[in-house]
C-alpha cells in the first residue's frame, strides 16, 4: 500500500490469510486498502465483519472496537 500498489497489498493479505485464516491484522488492513484505496466499501465491510466474527474485541490501531466502527459505517452508508 505504501508503495502505491493496493492490488499487490491485497494479494499479500490474501496470501497471509491462505496460511492463517484467522490473521487479524491481514483482515483489518485488507479492509483499509479495500475501503480507502480501491473504493470497494462492500468488500471492506465483509473483511471487517469476518474479523469481528473471529475476535469480537478486535480494535483499530487507534483503539476503537472494529464492531463499533462497522456500526458507524453501516449507519452512515446504508446499502
Amino acid at each position: 500500500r505504501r508503495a502505491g500498489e493496493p492490488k499487490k497489498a491485497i494479494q499479500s493479505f490474501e496470501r497471509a490469510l491462505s496460511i492463517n485464516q484467522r490473521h487479524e491484522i491481514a483482515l483489518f488492513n485488507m479492509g483499509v486498502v479495500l475501503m480507502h484505496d480501491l473504493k470497494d466499501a462492500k468488500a471492506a465491510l465483509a473483511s471487517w465483519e469476518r474479523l469481528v466474527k473471529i475476535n469480537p474485541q478486535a480494535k483499530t490501531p487507534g483503539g476503537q472496537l472494529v464492531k463499533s466502527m462497522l456500526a458507524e459505517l453501516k449507519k452512515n452508508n446504508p446499502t
Side-chain angles (χ1 to χ4, degrees), residues 9-28:
I10 294 295
Q11 290 172 349
S12 295
F13 299 136
E14 288 173 342
R15 208 171 313 126
L17 290 164
S18 73
I19 295 166
N20 176 1
Q21 296 177 9
R22 300 174 62 88
H23 197 294
E24 294 181 27
I25 295 170
L27 286 168
F28 181 78

Side-chain angles (χ1 to χ4, degrees), residues 48-77:
W48 292 326
E49 287 170 345
R50 185 172 160 196
L51 170 57
V52 169
K53 281 185 181 180
I54 291 168
N55 179 3
Q57 299 304 311
K59 293 183 179 180
T60 68
Q64 180 182 16
L65 286 173
V66 174
K67 65 182 170 186
S68 297
M69 179 189 73
L70 274 171
E72 288 176 27
L73 287 169
K74 288 179 180 180
K75 183 175 125 182
N76 295 329
N77 301 298

